[in-house]
Amino acid sequence: MEASSDLYDVYGSDDSPPLWEDHQHQCLQDLENVECLRRKIKYYFMNPCEKYHARGRKPWKLILQLVKIAIITVQLVSFGLSNQMVVTFKEENLLTFKHLFLKDYVDGGMDTYAVYRQADAYDHIDHIIRQYGHLHNITVGNHEYEKNGSLYTPLSVCQEFYRNGTIFPGNETFEIDTKVETDCVNVYPMYRPSLPEALPHFELHFKRMLSVKITFVLKAINLQTVRHRELPDCYDFTVMITFNNEAHSGRIKIDLENDVDINECRDWKVTGASARNIYLTVLFDCLIIVTCVTSFSLCTRSEYTHYCKNNCGKEVPWSDKLEFVNGWYILIIVSDMLTIIGSILKIEIQTKVLTSYDVCSIFLGTGTMFVWIGVIRYMGYFRKYNILILTLRAAFPNVIRFICCAGIIYLSYCFCGWIVLGPYHEKFRTLNTVSECLFSLINGDDMFPTFKNMKQKSSLVWIFSRVYLYTFVSLFIYMILSLFITIITDTYDTIKQQQQSGNPTSELQKFLSVCKDLPNSGVFRLDENNGCFLDRCINRFKKHQERLTSEA
């Protein structure tokens, strides 16, 4: 008792609080901090309506996302219509070149367009040269020859053939040098327009010939964009006509292709349209960039991981960490970045600094797709929709594993079908067409023609094709797809049972289940929420002032 009284005397003389009071004060402060963190995390997972009732904050982020969806969709439609004019101009010019330079061409007959006689081959080449020389007199478009300085760029005729070769099919003997040589001659427009006049010594080595390629460049201007408040683009069409004789089968296939290069016109003047109308879409794109930057900056992070690691002395499970790695926020960030890049490219296209329509369309299209997918996030706040989203998220790892296993079986069928059925079926000629054909079969599409179009030249291969197709359809439709559906349904049942039971299934849910405060209870208000941390700062400041006073 004496020792005890001495101890109290010591505390009394020093005017210091007892140890148990310090401990109690520390415990109360820790409990207060835990409760504040719990409320803060619970507020983090509230939907916009609950956050409005909890703190009175208006759902600006939701409003911003809805506005962003609307303006980005308008931007995409505007760019799509502009890009459609570019695609239409390219396709119509390609069709024009086929009718101008291919003799007796009929629409849709490119697959069977070929020559079978030597005279016809010379005739077609002569027709191309004549049409090229008289282009100004026959075309109804604004096509023009390319100029290099003061001279026109010539038409080039290049013949590829084996260096030497003697072939005697009747005796079943041949001698050939596999080195390929190329012989090119140039024909300038409006000078000697026919083949005999332009190339009097031109000769085709049919038995050794691999191909004849005729190449020339034409220029044109797409004027239809003026009516849509866009400056016209200048186009360079590199036309290449190929006479393909690589098979040496007596059939020389003829094909026409063109590479398009879009450039800014050097000098232009547009009357009847104000600059305000032409550059109005540029200002709209700038508005979209500002909106996406604002949306990007609204993404936040959580403090729960730091609390558990520092105060609870334990690591947070990855399943709980992923609760804060909000996939929707990541989707918003990615979509904002893609939209910003696409909008910058679109502005440069509008001002004719760049002409990368394909690159811009990829960025804008993918960004818009992600923005619309992000709408599902707000549908998840409704209980009936949320269970579907939770099912997709929970089943995703198992679906990926299942796809990897099924993909191995799928590839095995692709390789087998390509090597065995390729010579006897059009849809199995290349690995790409094999994959497309089998994927169509999985979805029940084009099944009867796939069976019917199998050639019956080899009975063994025909029987093999039946076994191959029947086993593939049975395996993937009746077994693999059924297992895939089972994975989804099992995950759905599990999530549904968890929601009905109401028991927390993770450490984070157990941590939050202690907080029973409703959103409209008033405890989530900013004053009280910040008070948990603000009170500590005020108390520390008071203690600091008291210490300075005692020292003075």
Side-chain angles (χ1 to χ4, degrees):
M1 293 296 294
E2 293 179 358
S4 177
S5 61
D6 292 339
L7 181 62
Y8 282 106
D9 290 340
V10 172
Y11 280 112
S13 61
D14 294 338
D15 295 331
S16 300
L19 288 175
W20 67 272
E21 291 183 0
D22 285 340
H23 179 69
Q24 184 182 23
H25 179 73
Q26 183 67 30
C27 291
L28 290 175
Q29 188 175 6
D30 290 341
L31 290 174
E32 184 182 1
N33 294 339
V34 171
E35 189 63 25
C36 290
L37 179 63
R38 185 178 285 114
R39 289 172 182 167
K40 188 174 183 180
I41 297 174
K42 187 173 182 179
Y43 176 81
Y44 175 82
F45 287 105
M46 289 181 182
N47 62 50
C49 295
E50 291 175 343
K51 287 182 178 180
Y52 175 75
H53 292 296
R55 292 187 179 178
R57 283 187 176 179
K58 294 180 174 59
W60 298 114
K61 191 181 298 183
L62 171 61
I63 296 174
L64 180 64
Q65 294 302 319
L66 295 178
V67 171
K68 189 177 73 172
I69 289 173
I71 60 178
I72 286 179
T73 303
V74 172
Q75 180 196 43
L76 183 74
V77 172
S78 174
F79 180 76
L81 294 175
S82 175
N83 195 28
Q84 185 178 358
M85 289 187 291
V86 175
V87 173
T88 302
F89 189 72
K90 292 180 181 178
E91 291 179 348
E92 290 185 355
N93 273 275
L94 178 61
L95 188 61
T96 298
F97 297 148
K98 290 180 179 179
H99 279 280
L100 286 177
F101 300 109
L102 298 183
K103 187 177 180 180
D104 301 328
Y105 174 76
V106 180
D107 289 341
M110 212 62 211
D111 293 337
T112 58
Y113 193 79
V115 293
Y116 303 90
R117 298 183 300 173
Q118 295 184 8
D120 291 338
Y122 284 108
D123 227 10
H124 279 71
I125 296 175
D126 180 65
H127 178 78
I128 295 170
I129 294 175
R130 285 179 180 273
Q131 294 292 97
Y132 179 73
H134 297 93
L135 181 66
H136 285 157
N137 299 327
I138 60 176
T139 181
V140 297
N142 56 4
H143 300 102
E144 182 60 77
Y145 303 115
E146 184 187 40
K147 271 190 175 182
N148 187 6
S150 60
L151 298 177
Y152 289 112
T153 302
L155 175 146
S156 174
V157 181
C158 294
Q159 180 182 184
E160 294 182 351
F161 50 88
Y162 294 118
R163 175 185 289 179
N164 292 309
T166 55
I167 304 173
F168 300 100
N171 299 332
E172 297 182 352
T173 60
F174 69 93
E175 179 182 354
I176 195 165
D177 185 351
T178 58
K179 186 174 181 180
V180 177
E181 291 185 346
T182 303
D183 183 18
C184 293
V185 291
N186 295 328
V187 179
Y188 288 87
M190 297 184 297
Y191 297 99
R192 297 175 181 175
S194 65
L195 179 61
E197 295 176 356
L199 305 173
H201 304 292
F202 181 77
E203 181 183 0
L204 296 176
H205 309 283
F206 288 101
K207 292 189 176 181
R208 295 184 291 141
M209 184 183 75
L210 294 173
S211 66
V212 175
K213 294 182 180 179
I214 303 175
T215 307
F216 53 91
V217 179
L218 298 178
K219 303 178 76 70
I221 299 177
N222 186 6
L223 296 177
Q224 62 178 330
T225 58
V226 176
R227 296 182 291 105
H228 301 275
R229 300 192 298 273
E230 293 185 24
L231 294 177
D233 292 318
C234 291
Y235 289 72
D236 290 347
F237 294 98
T238 302
V239 182
M240 184 169 64
I241 304 173
T242 304
F243 292 73
N244 189 350
N245 191 40
E246 293 181 353
H248 290 89
S249 60
R251 180 175 184 262
I252 300 179
K253 295 181 290 185
I254 303 176
D255 188 26
L256 186 149
E257 297 177 347
N258 68 330
D259 292 332
V260 184
D261 188 16
I262 306 175
N263 302 308
E264 179 185 2
C265 295
R266 296 179 183 178
D267 189 17
W268 54 268
K269 182 180 179 181
V270 179
T271 58
S274 63
R276 177 184 176 185
N277 291 334
I278 293 176
Y279 292 102
L280 187 62
T281 53
V282 175
L283 296 177
F284 184 72
D285 294 332
C286 293
L287 173 63
I288 291 177
I289 293 175
V290 173
T291 305
C292 291
V293 171
T294 305
S295 173
F296 183 89
S297 63
L298 289 178
C299 296
T300 58
R301 292 182 296 179
S302 172
E303 298 180 0
Y304 171 72
T305 301
H306 301 288
Y307 164 76
C308 290
K309 186 174 181 180
N310 298 331
N311 298 329
C312 298
K314 61 179 181 180
E315 291 287 342
V316 181
W318 275 104
S319 59
D320 290 345
K321 288 182 180 180
L322 292 176
E323 292 286 339
F324 291 97
V325 181
N326 197 325
W328 299 115
Y329 283 163
I330 296 175
L331 192 67
I332 291 173
I333 291 172
V334 174
S335 67
D336 289 338
M337 293 175 62
L338 293 174
T339 305
I340 290 172
I341 297 173
S343 299
I344 294 173
L345 292 175
K346 185 173 180 290
I347 291 174
E348 293 180 342
I349 290 174
Q350 295 274 340
T351 56
K352 304 307 173 186
V353 177
L354 292 177
T355 55
S356 305
Y357 282 90
D358 293 338
V359 178
C360 182
S361 62
I362 290 174
F363 279 105
L364 288 181
T366 309
T368 306
M369 180 182 67
F370 287 164
V371 168
W372 276 96
I373 292 175
V375 178
I376 300 177
R377 174 198 176 200
Y378 299 102
M379 298 180 66
Y381 293 133
F382 301 96
R383 187 177 183 86
K384 292 184 178 180
Y385 293 104
N386 187 44
I387 189 172
L388 301 178
I389 298 172
L390 293 177
T391 300
L392 293 177
R393 185 172 65 178
F396 183 75
N398 291 331
V399 169
I400 294 298
R401 299 187 193 99
F402 178 83
I403 290 177
C404 291
C405 297
I408 295 174
I409 303 175
Y410 184 81
L411 287 176
S412 66
Y413 269 88
C414 285
F415 287 118
C416 179
W418 173 52
I419 198 65
V420 178
L421 306 182
Y424 301 94
H425 203 298
E426 270 187 359
K427 297 181 181 180
F428 292 84
R429 292 290 167 82
T430 65
L431 279 174
N432 185 39
T433 56
V434 172
S435 179
E436 293 172 354
C437 176
L438 295 183
F439 190 78
S440 299
L441 290 177
I442 293 176
N443 292 277
D445 184 28
D446 209 23
M447 192 171 293
F448 178 73
T450 303
F451 280 87
K452 182 181 178 182
N453 294 339
M454 183 66 195
K455 297 178 182 179
Q456 301 184 18
K457 292 182 178 181
S458 173
S459 301
L460 180 62
V461 176
W462 188 85
I463 295 173
F464 178 85
S465 69
R466 265 42 196 171
V467 176
Y468 172 87
L469 292 173
Y470 278 119
T471 55
F472 177 82
V473 171
S474 302
L475 179 63
F476 273 85
I477 293 182
Y478 303 131
M479 294 180 62
I480 293 181
L481 285 183
S482 299
L483 289 174
F484 180 80
I485 296 173
T486 302
I487 292 175
I488 303 296
T489 53
D490 287 348
T491 307
Y492 177 83
D493 292 337
T494 303
I495 298 297
K496 190 174 181 179
Q497 290 176 3
Q498 290 177 356
Q499 287 192 347
Q500 291 176 350
S501 63
N503 296 325
T505 57
S506 65
E507 293 294 330
L508 176 60
Q509 293 178 1
K510 293 177 182 178
F511 179 76
L512 295 179
S513 62
V514 180
C515 182
K516 304 297 183 180
D517 299 321
L518 298 176
N520 56 0
S521 62
V523 297
F524 295 96
R525 294 290 175 179
L526 283 175
D527 293 338
E528 296 187 15
N529 190 37
N530 290 346
C532 302
F533 303 97
L534 185 61
D535 289 343
R536 287 184 293 170
C537 297
I538 295 175
N539 292 333
R540 291 179 181 176
F541 179 74
K542 287 181 178 180
K543 291 180 180 180
H544 180 67
Q545 291 293 333
E546 292 175 357
R547 190 179 301 109
L548 292 177
T549 304
S550 62
E551 291 177 356

